Amino acid sequence: MLPKDLTKDIKTRLLSIKGQMDGLIKMLDEGKDPEKILIQFKAAKSGLDKAHFLLLDETFRKSLAIKISVTSSACPGNCGNEEQIEMLRQQFPAIEVDDLTEKMKEISRLKKHLDRFNQLDQNNS
C-alpha cells in the first residue's frame, strides 16, 4: 500500500494533467497556434513523468532497500559476492529512478546465488 501523502501527491498531479488534457482538446477545437499546443503537450508529458517517477521511486526504491538488506544478511562473509553487495549498498542513496529496475534485477540475481550457496552449505553440514 502506498503512503497517503504519496497517493495524494500523485492524484493531485494526475488531476492537473487531466485539466491540461481538457485544455489541449479545447485548444485543438479552437484551432490555436500549434506551438502553444506543443508547449501544453510537453507540460502534460512532464507532469505525467513526474507522477510516474514518484510511484517508481517509492515502490522500487523501498523494495530495493529491503532486498539489499536481506541479501547482505544472507552473505555469511565468504559468499564470493561481498564486494558487489557492498557496492550496491553504498550506491543505494544515489541510485537514479531510471536505474532502479536494473539494480533490482542485479540484487535479485545476487540473492538467488546466495540462496543456492547457503543451501549447499547447509547440505554439506
Side-chain angles (χ1 to χ4, degrees):
M1 177 157 252
L2 295 174
K4 290 193 184 293
D5 59 334
L6 176 65
T7 302
K8 182 180 176 190
D9 191 14
I10 291 173
K11 284 175 63 175
T12 300
R13 289 173 188 272
L14 291 175
L15 288 171
S16 175
I17 294 164
K18 182 180 176 185
Q20 287 174 316
M21 293 292 109
D22 291 341
L24 273 165
I25 292 168
K26 184 177 178 185
M27 290 174 80
L28 289 166
D29 287 343
E30 295 173 355
K32 295 289 184 180
D33 179 15
E35 278 189 53
K36 290 182 180 180
I37 294 171
L38 181 59
I39 290 169
Q40 289 304 310
F41 267 108
K42 287 180 181 179
K45 181 182 181 314
S46 175
L48 190 57
D49 286 345
K50 287 179 184 175
H52 177 225
F53 286 141
L54 282 173
L55 180 63
L56 279 177
D57 192 48
E58 173 66 22
T59 55
F60 282 112
R61 190 171 297 278
K62 187 180 285 184
S63 181
L64 181 58
I66 291 167
K67 285 185 177 269
I68 287 172
S69 178
V70 167
T71 304
S72 191
S73 297
C75 181
N78 61 347
C79 63
N81 299 103
E82 299 86 358
E83 289 179 22
Q84 194 173 7
I85 294 168
E86 181 60 20
M87 181 185 69
L88 281 168
R89 193 185 65 73
Q90 288 179 1
Q91 287 178 349
F92 178 78
I95 293 173
E96 297 292 327
V97 173
D98 293 339
D99 296 329
L100 284 172
T101 54
E102 189 56 41
K103 297 299 182 185
M104 286 289 292
K105 290 175 188 174
E106 186 177 346
I107 198 70
S108 291
R109 284 189 300 267
L110 283 169
K111 179 69 171 93
K112 285 179 185 175
H113 171 76
L114 289 173
D115 288 345
R116 287 191 301 269
F117 175 85
N118 289 331
Q119 186 65 38
L120 287 173
D121 193 42
Q122 286 178 354
N123 290 341
N124 292 334
S125 296

